[in-house]
Amino acid sequence: VMGLIVIAGSCAAVNLLFTGISHMLKAMAADGILPPVWGQSKHAIKLWYSGLAAVAAVMMAIGIAGSEYLDVIIHSGLILWLAHYSGLHLSFCIAAWHQKPLAHRQLAWHLLSIIAMMLGIVALVITYPEADILLQILFIALGTMIALGVMWTRLGRLIVKK
């Protein structure tokens, strides 16, 4: 019974992850961050689901699931997730500050969240036994994301201009 509960919970988490990412990417296409073509189709969410499932299948096929680097990849994912959410809190604070000053309690909450997430990132990097490999993977992932972000932004602007 417990195994069934664990499997069902894992499936629910993966489903939520795929749904969240799919909707986020469709919204990014609607906002012009990604090429608009990717968000205009009525089947865009299904396409994103398929793409994410294909990435997961390729990672399994090349042996990531049994790799000795799996733990490093999981730690890197957690660090990038914390960095992403601290960036979201920071961007919310900046945008809200320029539009309308936040209440001190709201601003304090967001700033405390950012500090807590940054401390979590530092703790994860410092306490990890193979920090050099972890940092290499993080820099490769960040470099790839920055390059893709610049590429998609430029491509989106070119498509919008035409």
Side-chain angles (χ1 to χ4, degrees):
V1 173
M2 289 305 292
L4 183 64
I5 291 171
V6 168
I7 291 172
S10 298
C11 290
V14 169
N15 187 32
L16 179 66
L17 178 68
F18 275 21
T19 301
I21 290 173
S22 298
H23 285 283
M24 178 186 68
L25 293 172
K26 184 177 179 190
M28 288 171 69
D31 291 342
I33 297 170
L34 293 175
V37 156
W38 291 11
Q40 293 172 350
S41 169
K42 65 180 180 176
H43 302 292
I45 299 295
K46 292 177 187 173
L47 293 172
W48 285 115
Y49 265 105
S50 302
L52 291 169
V55 167
V58 167
M59 290 179 73
M60 292 271 220
I62 62 174
I64 296 291
S67 172
E68 61 191 47
Y69 296 114
L70 183 61
D71 192 42
V72 180
I73 293 169
I74 291 170
H75 269 74
S76 300
L78 179 58
I79 290 170
L80 292 171
W81 177 74
L82 286 170
H84 170 73
Y85 275 96
S86 62
L88 284 177
H89 278 276
L90 182 62
S91 64
F92 176 78
C93 286
I94 292 170
W97 186 264
H98 288 296
Q99 293 176 359
K100 167 179 110 174
L102 288 174
H104 292 295
R105 188 175 287 174
Q106 283 181 315
L107 185 61
W109 170 251
H110 287 290
L111 292 176
L112 284 174
S113 297
I114 293 168
I115 291 168
M117 286 184 259
M118 288 295 139
L119 288 174
I121 289 171
V122 170
L124 283 170
V125 171
I126 290 174
T127 60
Y128 194 74
E130 298 174 12
D132 55 337
I133 297 172
L134 181 70
L135 290 173
Q136 288 174 1
I137 289 177
L138 285 172
F139 285 127
I140 289 170
L142 287 172
T144 303
M145 287 187 286
I146 289 169
L148 285 173
V150 169
M151 181 183 73
W152 289 128
T153 302
R154 289 185 181 207
L155 184 62
R157 287 181 183 160
L158 287 174
I159 291 173
V160 170
K161 284 182 183 178
K162 291 180 180 181

